[in-house]
Amino acid sequence: MDQVKQGRFTLVQALRGLAALWVVLFHVSEAGHISGLRSQLPSWADLFFTAGHLGVAIFFALSGFVITHSVAGASITARYLGRFALRRSIRLDPPYWASIIFVVGAGFLSAQLKGEAFQLPSFPQTLAHLFYLQTLLGFPQINWVYWTLTYEIQFYLVLVLLIMAAQRMRIAPPLMVLLPFVATMSFWLDLITPPTGLFVDLWHAFLAGVLAYWAKTSRLALYAFIGVCLLSLALSPDDFTILSISTAIVLHVAFRTGYIYRGLDWRWIQFLGTVSYSLYLIHNPIVGGVSFLSARWIGSDFVTLVLSVAASIAAAAVFWYLLER
């Protein structure tokens, strides 16, 4: 997505693609489409499928790093904030809104083929989705993956607002962005219970990416980065935290060494990164449809897996070409 002054973040692009692919594999597995194949796998290989939802942890750390780069050196004003929100909207909204139509249409078609009842999302539910508010307002997700976007939008806006406040108050931004982390730690210690869907509970995953970027040029940010990593691992040592913190550390080291500009610069994996947003948005109904047809006509779990992944990537490429490009 984003370019850098010295070149492309090839490592970021590659990790984005791999994370999206991991989520696809998780949904192929979680829906029971390859249960026979999984039963024959060693436990470590089966874990590769069942842990695929952790691709989201990678996404959050990547987002913190990339968004921080995108506003680096900017003087954040109300006007800049408006332009920033508009740029994010143009980047995210059209594919997201189109995917809602696609997912609902696929659900209707699936119900017709299976002779099942189908219910359209309600108007309030749809409206909440259009503005990324469904998680906060308690509406069911039209597509499971959409919950992560509600967090991403909050992360972006909170980060830019905190940087703007830091600039106006002449406080170092690395210190200002730690304020929500205090609430995150309070949540871990059962001192507060934030509303469901509020960014606070997962702020550490995004924050680690933010500080990983700043820590290259700021000693204060480096100390904050180390502190956030250690406190997160100490107070919330779950798989999600471990992977997001690990991703942020990899990004920081790669940024310092320059590997971030050349890492995993293979054509196929860069392509996967390019279409990763579309892949993430639309793979669920494609996986379901392909698996249904494969089970009926072929009956091989391995073929189902290959066809599901291939069809998801192909559809994502078309989606990217028509809407993202």
Side-chain angles (χ1 to χ4, degrees), residues 88-294:
R88 289 292 92 195
S89 176
I90 292 171
R91 171 68 183 89
L92 298 175
D93 291 351
Y96 170 56
W97 292 341
S99 76
I100 293 175
I101 297 173
F102 178 79
V103 169
V104 172
F108 173 77
L109 180 61
S110 174
Q112 293 298 307
L113 291 175
K114 297 177 182 179
E116 299 173 349
F118 176 76
Q119 184 175 358
L120 283 170
S122 67
F123 177 75
Q125 180 186 9
T126 304
L127 189 63
H129 272 75
L130 294 180
F131 294 98
Y132 304 94
L133 295 173
Q134 69 273 16
T135 307
L136 275 170
L137 297 179
F139 288 105
Q141 303 291 336
I142 293 175
N143 184 3
W144 177 85
V145 302
Y146 291 161
W147 76 267
T148 64
L149 299 182
T150 69
Y151 273 79
E152 291 274 13
I153 295 299
Q154 292 180 72
F155 291 154
Y156 300 162
L157 294 177
V158 169
L159 173 65
V160 177
L161 286 170
L162 288 173
I163 295 174
M164 182 170 69
Q167 290 176 351
R168 292 189 175 184
M169 299 170 65
R170 298 186 179 181
I171 297 174
L175 292 179
M176 185 64 77
V177 298
L178 292 178
L179 291 178
F181 184 64
V182 174
T184 304
M185 290 191 293
S186 298
F187 167 71
W188 290 335
L189 296 171
D190 294 324
L191 300 177
I192 64 170
T193 303
T196 301
L198 190 65
F199 74 96
V200 169
D201 60 330
L202 296 176
W203 176 249
H204 64 294
F206 180 82
L207 175 62
V210 172
L211 294 173
Y213 182 88
W214 280 336
K216 182 188 177 186
T217 55
S218 166
R219 181 163 296 184
L220 175 62
L222 178 61
Y223 294 152
F225 179 48
I226 294 171
V228 165
C229 290
L230 293 177
L231 286 169
S232 297
L233 293 173
L235 297 177
S236 181
D238 54 29
D239 293 338
F240 193 96
T241 295
I242 292 170
L243 192 53
S244 60
I245 296 300
S246 299
T247 301
I249 293 172
V250 168
L251 290 174
H252 175 68
V253 173
F255 197 24
R256 280 189 174 273
T257 60
Y259 186 71
I260 201 163
Y261 301 111
R262 63 181 185 276
L264 301 182
D265 192 13
W266 307 326
R267 180 173 297 181
W268 71 270
I269 203 169
Q270 292 298 307
F271 167 77
L272 194 62
T274 298
V275 303
S276 59
Y277 182 46
S278 289
L279 178 61
Y280 186 75
L281 288 174
I282 67 171
H283 72 272
N284 246 339
I286 294 172
V287 164
V290 171
S291 298
F292 174 76
L293 295 175
S294 177

Side-chain angles (χ1 to χ4, degrees), residues 15 18-20 22-23 51-60 240 243 280:
L15 291 177
L18 292 174
W22 200 14
V23 173
H53 62 285
L54 294 174
V56 174
I58 298 175
F59 279 133
F60 283 174
F240 193 96
L243 192 53
Y280 186 75

